[in-house]
Amino acid sequence: MLLPIASEEFVSFDLSRNGAPGMAAAAASFEQLMVDGVLVVRFSKQRLYDADKIEELNAALLELAEGLTTDKVVLNLHGIDYFSSSGIGALIRFSKRLGQKKAQLRLCELQPMVEEIMLLQRLDKVFDIDADEGSAIINLS
């Protein structure tokens, strides 16, 4: 469930390879907005298993971490149907970078396949996971 909220800031990332036309549907992409001092990152509908997309996602998340203007981040994974181990690695690197900056991270709205992968790899012990975006925001307040 996505909350109908007004944002202070909205940015969309389309990480298509080489900016090639027609690649946007296959690209790793997300949008970000600020809600009550919490950076919310919402991923578009996608499967993250292609090495090039994962590399671009990793670079975009680390760039996002470097330019962070808040210490509270929610990753809404509603649009992610599948993560490869490399995709999970990108999340872990992002989490570690946020930790170095003393920022808190919560994941939310995991699809069943992604949730199963996270549980099988015991990543629910590594990440704070909420059922929905509103709960994640509240838990960071």
Side-chain angles (χ1 to χ4, degrees):
M1 172 179 83
L2 298 179
L3 296 175
I5 47 180
S7 64
E8 299 167 16
E9 172 186 0
F10 174 82
V11 180
S12 180
F13 287 86
D14 182 3
L15 306 173
S16 56
R17 286 180 236 149
N18 303 322
M23 291 296 290
S29 59
F30 58 85
E31 62 186 28
Q32 60 176 315
L33 59 142
M34 292 294 289
V35 180
D36 297 331
V38 177
L39 175 64
V40 177
V41 179
R42 295 178 180 157
F43 286 84
S44 65
K45 190 78 168 170
Q46 58 198 302
R47 301 182 122 218
L48 292 176
Y49 57 88
D50 177 83
D52 291 335
K53 283 198 294 187
I54 299 297
E55 186 177 319
E56 292 168 356
L57 173 66
N58 187 54
L61 286 176
L62 292 177
E63 183 178 328
L64 181 67
E66 290 308 312
L68 203 61
T69 59
T70 181
D71 62 350
K72 299 172 185 171
V73 180
V74 170
L75 290 185
N76 183 327
L77 301 179
H78 178 78
I80 306 293
D81 291 332
Y82 177 79
F83 263 134
S84 68
S85 58
S86 296
I88 292 171
L91 282 183
I92 292 171
R93 282 186 291 282
F94 181 63
S95 176
K96 285 183 179 181
R97 185 64 191 120
L98 291 181
Q100 292 170 349
K101 296 181 75 100
K102 307 290 189 242
Q104 302 172 62
L105 173 67
R106 296 192 79 87
L107 308 181
C108 68
E109 299 194 29
L110 279 63
Q111 294 294 325
M113 177 76 75
V114 173
E115 184 174 16
E116 183 177 337
I117 291 168
M118 298 290 255
L119 292 174
L120 286 173
Q121 295 190 13
R122 299 177 193 243
L123 293 171
D124 57 322
K125 309 286 188 230
V126 175
F127 295 104
D128 292 318
I129 301 172
D130 294 289
D132 60 77
E133 187 175 286
S135 297
I137 292 167
I138 289 168
N139 287 329
L140 283 173
S141 297

